[in-house]
Amino acid sequence: MGASANADVVLREIEDELIVAGTNLLKLRFSSSCDEVIARLLRAEAILKRVGQVKGSPMLMKKALFPIMTALIKDKLLKHRDENVQVIVASCLNQATRITAPQQPYMDDQMRDMFGLFMVVLRGQLSRLTGDNYDRAVKILHFMGLGRTVLIMMDLDIDQMIVDMFQFFFDTISPNYPPVIFQYMEDVMTLVIEESDEVSLELLTPLLDSVRMDNKNVSPVSWELGKAVFEKCSTKLQPYLKEAVKKMNLEVSDYAEIVVSLCTTENMLEEKTASAPSEAEQAGPTSQVNDGEVVQLEMDIGVHRRRRARKPNSLMRPEEGYEHIWRIGDENSSKVSRDSAEEANTGKRGRSKMNRGSNAEYEDEIVDARVKVWWPMDKAFYTGTVEAFDPLSKKHKIVYDDDEEEVLNLSEERWEFFKERQPHRVQSAENHAPESLPRTRKRKRRERLVRRGNDSLPHHREGGK
């Protein structure tokens, strides 16, 4: 009891400090001195490092974060010209991304600006090898792979930035770097390749250049980095590599042995690679439930994954009915009450109220209820039944009408109670939305940004776990 009370006191203290730090940042002017800006940013950074992940945390913590989250994305900080300010802002944004994972903390345009700043910091600080700013850059690079935030980059239509990042890695890596930098770069590039729909020629080019035979002596560490990525992603890269060799009329003997092997080996793996995409288009990737999280399983060797459909909350598009995670405290936000559940189940005319984000939270009282869940990549609702509720993870098991199952935190999904249509009632074309698809048509699965390895990061655990 005493430990719990002490934890609550510490949490309240952090919330108060967040509000003060965020308010102080918002009060900054474009004319504020660099010393004043840096001092306030350092205070905010220190507090953010103490914050655990927001998921499952009290609404008060989200409200306490709001001033800092708002200040960091303002032009007077995000686009500040001072190098030290840029690095500390990027570090704070990296912490914000950690805290809100797996949801993205900002709208897409702001996320593009954030990743652009990350690239500026990586280019300017990694080569320093020592110092606080170098340490901040290393943490940004680390979390791009470990926290899988690079997957958000892939969904923001900033492909050229990703290509430039690959080229930067190969141009920068050297024997002077500690082994962890090599590993972090390898992790990021491997993740991008394995999670891509297709590997473009633009993305493959810097990878190929790194493993040219003449680069082995010029930049041996770059050579080893490229070779390591090729070896880890050989199955995914093989068909694109062969196509690139033909298009660019390359002589494979000018490249590392792994390239020669992938281009000349004829085996069953190649045949499966050529035939698998059509199967993947029909069946989609498989998934399993692991400790309440929906985890994407590795597909059969050679299957090309399509680009992931991000979680609805990470899309944060108003046309889909979502409120931004940090738009907190709106008194006009719609609330979903028990009455809406009764209305949906009693057959009254009209549409049941929309459940959005954290505006309403249901537990075991909706077990056996009929619901429909929005799948943004399909742009359709799918109907199913709430089969169970896990009080520990606060997640519901949904069994869809086509027998597919998902375990979801409904407070983070777009969904509605589903009222069965009467046989004689015809739905107008204007209001028509597909409720379900025939069994013979396989729908695209939603894949989620999965926090792999987050337990090894400080501050990444949720309280009590």
Side-chain angles (χ1 to χ4, degrees):
M1 187 70 178
S4 177
N6 289 336
D8 288 340
V9 170
V10 172
L11 187 62
R12 298 291 87 78
E13 290 177 353
I14 292 176
E15 289 170 355
D16 292 341
E17 291 179 31
L18 283 169
I19 293 173
V20 172
T23 302
N24 288 336
L25 287 179
L26 288 170
K27 289 179 180 178
L28 289 171
R29 301 171 180 269
F30 282 102
S31 58
S32 299
S33 68
C34 284
D35 288 343
E36 182 182 5
V37 173
I38 289 173
R40 296 189 185 188
L41 281 171
L42 287 173
R43 182 58 184 158
E45 180 189 42
I47 300 169
L48 287 171
K49 288 180 179 179
R50 298 171 60 194
V51 179
Q53 287 186 300
V54 166
K55 186 178 180 182
S57 297
M59 183 62 70
L60 286 175
M61 179 59 77
K62 293 182 180 180
K63 290 183 178 180
L65 282 162
F66 183 81
I68 285 183
M69 300 293 289
T70 302
L72 289 173
I73 211 68
K74 297 286 187 181
D75 284 353
K76 59 187 174 184
L77 289 181
L78 186 65
K79 298 181 180 179
H80 202 285
R81 294 184 178 181
D82 183 81
E83 182 181 61
N84 290 320
V85 172
Q86 291 174 352
V87 176
I88 303 172
V89 169
S91 176
C92 289
L93 289 170
N94 191 48
Q95 291 295 330
T97 306
R98 172 188 63 79
I99 292 167
T100 61
Q103 299 173 1
Q104 66 183 51
Y106 298 106
M107 304 295 283
D108 284 0
D109 286 344
Q110 295 167 325
M111 293 298 295
R112 293 185 186 98
D113 290 339
M114 185 190 81
F115 283 117
L117 179 61
F118 282 3
M119 292 302 104
V120 169
V121 170
L122 291 179
R123 289 178 181 277
Q125 304 304 320
L126 280 183
S127 59
R128 297 182 183 274
L129 297 178
T130 60
D132 292 340
N133 286 346
Y134 165 76
D135 291 339
R136 292 183 176 103
V138 171
K139 289 177 182 177
I140 290 171
L141 177 62
H142 187 199
F143 196 66
M144 288 179 71
L146 185 62
R148 300 170 70 84
T149 53
V150 72
L151 298 185
I152 301 178
M153 291 183 69
M154 295 170 63
D155 292 332
L156 292 174
D157 297 324
I158 48 176
D159 294 346
Q160 187 57 51
M161 186 183 295
I162 296 175
V163 172
D164 292 343
M165 178 178 67
F166 272 43
Q167 188 65 61
F168 164 68
F169 288 169
F170 289 123
D171 290 344
T172 303
I173 193 68
S174 73
N176 296 328
Y177 281 104
V180 292
I181 301 299
F182 183 102
Q183 187 61 57
Y184 295 163
M185 290 179 175
E186 180 186 334
D187 291 343
V188 170
M189 289 191 286
T190 299
L191 189 57
V192 168
I193 292 170
E194 290 294 345
E195 295 291 338
S196 294
D197 265 350
E198 298 177 351
V199 180
S200 67
L201 185 59
E202 291 76 15
L203 192 64
L204 191 57
T205 297
L207 192 58
L208 273 170
D209 289 343
S210 70
V211 292
R212 288 183 60 90
M213 293 300 294
D214 52 8
N215 194 47
K216 186 174 183 179
N217 295 324
V218 174
S219 182
V221 183
S222 176
W223 160 280
E224 291 296 335
L225 179 60
K227 190 157 67 76
V229 174
F230 262 112
E231 289 170 352
K232 278 196 171 182
C233 304
S234 58
T235 300
K236 183 65 176 282
L237 288 173
Q238 188 178 44
Y240 302 104
L241 178 60
K242 289 188 173 184
E243 184 179 354
V245 167
K246 291 179 181 178
K247 281 186 176 181
M248 301 171 68
N249 195 27
L250 301 178
E251 179 59 56
V252 294
S253 60
D254 291 338
Y255 296 86
E257 183 179 351
I258 180 66
V259 174
V260 177
S261 175
L262 290 175
C263 289
T264 58
T265 302
E266 299 291 336
N267 51 33
M268 293 183 65
L269 177 62
E270 180 181 357
E271 294 174 8
K272 189 171 184 179
T273 302
S275 62
S278 61
E279 298 171 7
E281 188 66 28
Q282 293 179 10
T286 57
S287 62
Q288 71 177 13
V289 177
N290 182 13
D291 295 332
E293 293 285 349
V294 179
V295 180
Q296 191 65 28
L297 293 179
E298 296 297 326
M299 297 179 64
D300 290 340
I301 294 176
V303 176
H304 297 173
R305 297 178 187 171
R306 64 173 59 84
R307 177 164 292 195
R308 300 157 322 289
R310 285 180 292 165
K311 287 183 66 173
N313 263 19
S314 68
L315 285 170
M316 292 182 287
R317 292 178 178 170
E319 62 269 22
E320 289 186 5
Y322 290 100
E323 296 185 44
H324 192 281
I325 184 173
W326 301 113
R327 292 177 186 163
I328 300 170
D330 184 357
E331 297 297 331
N332 296 319
S333 296
S334 59
K335 301 290 183 180
V336 181
S337 65
R338 249 176 229 261
D339 294 339
S340 63
E342 295 173 0
E343 177 182 320
N345 293 327
T346 55
K348 293 181 181 179
R349 292 180 63 86
R351 182 177 176 179
S352 60
K353 294 181 181 179
M354 181 70 69
N355 293 276
R356 296 175 183 171
S358 59
N359 288 341
E361 292 189 6
Y362 292 99
E363 297 186 350
D364 57 359
E365 68 266 25
I366 63 169
V367 172
D368 295 329
R370 293 281 289 159
V371 296
K372 56 183 181 179
V373 182
W374 180 254
W375 286 43
M377 291 297 286
D378 293 6
K379 297 182 179 179
F381 283 100
Y382 292 107
T383 57
T385 302
V386 181
E387 186 175 272
F389 172 74
D390 181 1
L392 295 179
S393 65
K394 301 295 184 183
K395 295 185 179 183
H396 293 81
K397 179 180 179 181
I398 311 297
V399 179
Y400 292 99
D401 292 347
D402 60 0
D403 294 332
E404 187 157 348
E405 299 179 1
E406 268 195 310
V407 175
L408 301 173
N409 184 339
L410 289 178
S411 68
E412 298 178 354
E413 302 289 338
R414 180 182 175 187
W415 64 279
E416 298 180 29
F417 289 104
F418 176 60
K419 180 173 63 177
E420 304 287 354
R421 290 183 298 212
Q422 299 299 320
H424 64 277
R425 188 173 295 170
V426 179
Q427 187 177 23
S428 68
E430 180 181 353
N431 296 324
H432 177 72
E435 307 297 345
S436 60
L437 296 180
R439 282 272 184 95
T440 55
R441 180 180 173 186
K442 297 288 186 180
R443 70 175 182 255
K444 291 177 283 186
R445 291 176 181 267
R446 288 181 291 184
E447 300 176 29
R448 304 183 183 279
L449 297 181
V450 181
R451 291 167 289 156
R452 292 183 181 172
N454 273 3
D455 286 346
S456 63
L457 281 179
H459 311 300
H460 281 226
R461 296 183 186 271
E462 296 178 17
K465 293 188 179 180

